[in-house]
Amino acid sequence: MGTLVSGDRTVLRRARKAGRRFLNPVPTVIGGLSTMFKVLPHYLMNKAETVPVRALGPFHTDVSMYDAAPASGLRVTWMGHSSMLMEIDGLRVLMDPMWDERASPTRWAGPKRFFAAPMRLEELPPVDVVLVSHDHYDHLGEVTIRGLARLASMREARWVTSLGVGELLRGFGVDTARISELDWTQSVSVGGVEITAVPSRHFSGRSLFNRFETLWSAFVFKGLKHRVYFGADSGWWEGFAEIGATYGPFDLTMLEIGAFDALWNAIHLGPDGAARAFEALGDKGLMMPIHWGLFDLALHAWRQPITAMLEIADERGIRLWAPEPGRPTEVVSGVEVRSDWWL
C-alpha cells in the first residue's frame, strides 16, 4: 500500500523514530510521574463503581459453534476488553489475546479481571493468525502468550504484530519463524486475507523506562468479502479520515471506548472520541465498542463507557455491535447487536 498525501504532508506513512523511540503520527505528549501525581488525589477521592460490586458472568463459549463456518462469512467472539476471536472470510484471527488474571507486570497486584475468560486457551479452535497490536499489559499478557505458544492448535499460526514486539513474543516462547512484524502501511497476507498495520496515536512500553521503543498500531483486515478495522488503542487524530478513505469502507469498525480521562485524551478515545473516529473512518457498517468491561484502568465507573456510547449512538444514528462476552456472534450488514449483560 502506498501513501496518501493530505495538504503538504503525508498522513499514511511508515513510522518515524527519534533515536530509539518511535514517534506518534502527530505531536503527542504522554504523561509521566507528573500525571500520576495529578491522578492520585482523584483516585483517593473517587466514589465511582470502578470495579463491579457483584460478580459478573460466568460467561461460557459454546465451542461446538466453531465446527461450522459463519453463514455471513464474518463472526466475532468478544472475550472482553480488546480480546476477540474473529472469523473473516475463512480465516481465524485471535486478536490481542489476554487470558492473564491481571493486566500488570506482577501476579499479585494491578488491575484484576472482572470475570473469567469465557473459554480456556486449550478450548480454542485452530487459529490461523494471532495478532498483537502493541506491548501494553492489557493487550499482551506473558501467561497468555506462553500458554498459546505451547498449544498444538497454534502450531501453524502466523503471529502478526508491530515493529519490535516480536522480541517479547520470542522471549515468551513463540517461534521466530512464525512472527511477522509490521511497520505502518506494511501488509501481510494469510489465507487470502490482507492484514495491514496503520498508524494510531498511542504509545508503548512495559515500564516508565522503555516507552516508545516498540511500535503500536491499528490494523485493517481485507478479505474477499469483508473489511474490518481494529483500532486497538488510539487517541483522536486527523488520520482516521485518510485511513477510511484508503482502506474502507468497513463492515465492522472496532474502537476503544474505555479507560478514558481528560488527562490522557490524546492517547485514548472514550465514547465521544470513538463516535467521532467512526464517522471520520467513513460512518459505514457497524461499530463495535472494545477496550472496556474487563479491567479497572481509569477513574470512571466500569459501566460508564458503554452507557455513554449507547446514548451517543442513538443521538448520532450509529449502529452498534456489542455482543455478550464469549458468544460467537455473526456480523450481518445493517443488523445491530445490543446485549445488556452489564446491567
Side-chain angles (χ1 to χ4, degrees):
M1 176 58 64
T3 58
L4 184 72
V5 176
S6 176
D8 61 352
R9 65 189 180 89
T10 303
V11 176
L12 290 178
R13 58 187 171 195
R14 303 292 170 88
R16 295 175 298 168
K17 298 179 78 172
R20 297 174 57 187
R21 295 158 63 91
F22 287 99
L23 300 174
N24 264 300
V26 293
T28 303
V29 176
I30 307 296
L33 288 173
S34 61
T35 300
M36 294 182 185
F37 287 124
K38 291 177 183 177
V39 170
L40 184 59
H42 298 286
Y43 175 80
L44 295 174
M45 300 295 291
N46 191 21
K47 303 297 183 184
E49 186 188 336
T50 56
V51 175
V53 295
R54 63 172 178 82
L56 302 178
F59 303 104
H60 296 293
T61 300
D62 179 3
V63 295
S64 69
M65 293 186 67
Y66 300 122
D67 294 338
S72 67
L74 182 58
R75 181 169 60 192
V76 178
T77 310
W78 184 54
M79 307 297 178
H81 202 60
S82 299
S83 297
M84 61 205 90
L85 179 64
M86 178 175 71
E87 298 160 277
I88 175 172
D89 298 342
L91 192 78
R92 281 204 188 110
V93 186
L94 185 60
M95 304 162 72
D96 279 1
M98 181 59 184
W99 265 249
D100 290 42
E101 186 67 15
R102 296 181 185 272
S104 167
T106 70
R107 299 190 187 185
W108 51 269
K112 189 177 180 180
R113 303 179 65 96
F114 296 164
F115 56 85
M119 71 171 88
R120 294 179 295 110
L121 289 178
E122 294 78 9
E123 296 177 302
L124 283 165
V127 166
D128 302 297
V129 173
V130 183
L131 183 137
V132 179
S133 63
H134 63 298
D135 68 7
H136 283 161
Y137 287 99
D138 55 322
H139 296 258
L140 195 167
E142 178 178 353
V143 173
T144 301
I145 301 303
R146 289 189 181 279
L148 289 172
R150 292 192 293 264
L151 290 178
S153 60
M154 299 291 156
R155 283 181 185 158
E156 299 303 314
R158 168 63 49 186
W159 292 68
V160 178
T161 190
S162 304
L163 284 180
V165 182
E167 183 177 351
L168 270 173
L169 299 180
R170 285 188 288 273
F172 296 158
V174 179
D175 181 0
T176 298
R178 306 216 63 82
I179 300 172
S180 296
E181 296 184 58
L182 301 182
D183 196 348
W184 292 340
T185 74
Q186 284 187 324
S187 303
V188 61
S189 291
V190 184
V193 175
E194 185 179 63
I195 305 168
T196 304
V198 294
S200 67
R201 189 183 186 190
H202 197 57
F203 70 110
S204 64
R206 290 168 77 83
S207 77
L208 287 174
F209 308 105
N210 63 356
R211 286 182 168 183
F212 303 99
E213 293 183 6
T214 63
L215 191 59
W216 53 97
S217 307
F219 289 85
V220 170
F221 296 84
K222 180 183 177 182
L224 196 61
K225 296 182 178 179
H226 295 92
R227 297 188 185 197
V228 171
Y229 176 81
F230 174 54
D233 284 3
S234 180
W236 166 261
W237 70 295
E238 296 78 5
F240 284 118
E242 283 77 6
I243 291 170
T246 303
Y247 299 101
F250 302 111
D251 300 281
L252 187 65
T253 301
M254 304 167 172
L255 292 168
E256 56 148 81
I257 65 168
F260 65 92
D261 191 277
L263 288 171
W264 52 83
N265 63 5
I267 54 171
H268 284 295
L269 289 169
D272 286 302
R276 187 181 178 195
F278 178 75
E279 291 166 349
L281 284 161
D283 202 14
K284 302 292 184 182
L286 301 162
M287 177 191 154
M288 180 182 180
I290 61 171
H291 203 267
W292 74 279
L294 188 61
F295 295 111
D296 173 17
L297 300 173
L299 298 170
H300 55 68
W302 76 273
R303 289 188 186 91
Q304 185 178 345
I306 191 62
T307 55
M309 191 70 248
L310 287 167
E311 292 177 3
I312 294 167
D314 288 340
E315 291 171 0
R316 302 193 187 185
I318 295 172
R319 290 172 293 183
L320 290 184
W321 196 86
E324 174 184 310
R327 178 170 294 178
T329 306
E330 300 255 352
V331 179
V332 180
S333 178
V335 179
E336 282 195 300
V337 173
R338 292 195 180 196
S339 61
D340 58 1
W341 66 269
W342 55 83
L343 297 178

